[in-house]
Amino acid sequence: MKDSLVVSSSPHIRHRDTTSGIMLDVIIALIPATVYGIIIFGISAAAVVCTCVLSAIVFEFLWNIILKKPQSVGDFSAIVTGLLLGLNLPPKTPLFVAAIGSFAAIIVVKQMFGGLGYNFVNPAIGARIVLLVSFPTAMASAGSYLEPISKLGVDTVSSATPLMLYGKEAAPSLKSLFFGMNSGAIGETSAFLLLLGGIYLVLRKVINPIIPVSFIGTVAVMTYLFSFNINETLYFVLSGGLFLGAIFMATDYVTSPTTNLGKLVFGIGCGLITFVIRKWGNLPEGVSYSIILMNILAPQIDKLTRRKPFGLPKEG
């Protein structure tokens, strides 16, 4: 029997990866940092994370019902958004503020722009900035942050974040910053566990390491050039939400460039903006703002860095 030619419509390239599979990998990668944050900050941290995740699921479920759209809760993207938002919040965040953040992430940033794949900024980052502007006391004051339970034996003592403490006697050591024995947002304290999660995602080929490496590397290089102090450089690299943002949010498929050169430009841009805000801005942290600004520029970066198809004449 002769082989027959089978003609089918596009797309001709298929892959076994699914949205739910990718999102599940992200959840798995975030589990160590999530569990650790709940262990060191106690029940209040668990309540914040659970509120963000559950309210994100409920808002997405209700949106689809009200608009009679196919139910998308099963793709796990709402869980990832809620989890990332929760990990970016202080342990003492009021639960109604956490729920408002999930509403902003799921309804305003994600669904009002067309749902998964159409949002122009990362939903968790967008929601965090909405909360920073709307509830500055709950989001940025020292009273919203806690010392780790293992340090004090209690979970009710407030503390400033490491970025606020640099240069002071109470500033944590580099070892504490790396392993996470310090105050901060629920999921940002342990660079070690976030790095493990990032390695898992790279090995699973869920993310490309170009963005996180260029993002973190740019912050490190710029900090060193303005200080010539390796300890200060390591302090600011390990502090704040740099690892959480660079590994888990700047690498979002929808809001980051698709070309390798574009990813490099994107990561460097995020690093430069983060450094500028940390160095000269009124806020100690600039990761969220840097990512959302570069999200907006991502389509133009893609346009400028895309490769021209072989055999086509030059434009103009």
Side-chain angles (χ1 to χ4, degrees):
M1 181 184 294
K2 293 183 179 180
D3 293 335
S4 59
L5 177 63
V6 178
V7 180
S8 63
S9 61
S10 61
H12 302 294
I13 300 176
R14 301 178 184 273
H15 200 278
R16 64 182 179 181
D17 286 345
T18 62
T19 299
S20 58
I22 291 171
M23 295 299 169
L24 184 59
D25 273 331
V26 176
I27 294 169
I28 292 171
L30 284 169
I31 285 175
T34 303
V35 172
Y36 183 74
I38 292 172
I39 290 173
I40 66 171
F41 293 127
I43 191 67
S44 59
V48 170
V49 172
C50 289
T51 298
C52 287
V53 173
L54 292 176
S55 57
I57 295 172
V58 170
F59 288 134
E60 177 140 329
F61 181 79
L62 293 176
W63 174 271
N64 290 328
I65 289 180
I66 293 170
L67 272 69
K68 298 180 180 179
K69 298 175 65 176
Q71 198 52 254
S72 56
V73 172
D75 65 14
F76 301 143
S77 62
I79 297 176
V80 170
T81 297
L83 184 56
L84 284 172
L85 176 61
L87 296 181
N88 272 279
L89 298 182
K92 295 291 287 184
T93 302
L95 299 187
F96 79 91
V97 172
I100 291 173
S102 289
F103 178 87
I106 297 298
I107 303 300
V108 178
V109 182
K110 180 183 177 183
Q111 295 295 355
M112 284 188 175
F113 285 92
L116 183 66
Y118 295 95
N119 48 285
F120 71 100
V121 296
N122 182 280
I125 288 289
R128 186 175 190 270
I129 290 177
V130 168
L131 295 182
L132 280 169
V133 174
S134 304
F135 304 97
T137 301
M139 291 292 294
S141 68
S144 296
Y145 294 90
L146 300 174
E147 284 285 357
I149 294 174
S150 58
K151 268 188 171 184
L152 301 170
V154 293
D155 64 347
T156 57
V157 178
S158 61
S159 173
T161 64
L163 286 172
M164 300 176 185
L165 293 173
Y166 179 73
K168 300 179 181 178
E169 187 176 348
S173 65
L174 295 179
K175 180 180 178 180
S176 293
L177 290 173
F178 184 70
F179 289 106
M181 292 308 302
N182 49 268
S183 62
I186 296 168
E188 73 179 17
T189 60
S190 177
F192 172 67
L193 293 178
L194 293 169
L195 187 59
L196 283 183
I199 292 172
Y200 171 80
L201 292 180
V202 171
L203 293 176
R204 292 282 295 169
K205 297 183 179 180
V206 172
I207 66 171
N208 187 312
I210 294 175
I211 289 178
V213 170
S214 59
F215 191 164
I216 297 170
T218 299
V219 173
V221 170
M222 294 303 297
T223 304
Y224 183 78
L225 289 177
F226 276 79
S227 66
F228 292 105
N229 185 323
I230 191 63
N231 286 330
E232 180 176 338
T233 299
L234 291 174
Y235 188 96
F236 279 99
V237 166
L238 297 174
S239 300
L242 183 57
F243 275 71
L244 181 60
I247 295 171
F248 293 97
M249 288 178 285
T251 54
D252 177 35
Y253 288 175
V254 181
T255 57
S256 62
T258 57
T259 66
N260 285 341
L261 178 58
K263 293 178 189 296
L264 180 63
V265 172
F266 184 88
I268 292 173
C270 287
L272 288 173
I273 296 171
T274 297
F275 171 76
V276 169
I277 293 175
R278 284 183 172 187
K279 183 71 175 178
W280 293 291
N282 291 327
L283 293 172
E285 181 61 287
V287 171
S288 295
Y289 293 99
S290 70
I291 294 174
I292 203 169
L293 287 172
M294 293 306 295
N295 284 164
I296 296 170
L297 294 175
Q300 295 303 317
I301 294 173
D302 252 343
K303 184 178 180 180
L304 294 172
T305 59
R306 67 187 178 190
R307 299 178 65 180
K308 292 181 175 61
F310 179 77
L312 290 183
K314 293 182 178 179
E315 296 180 2

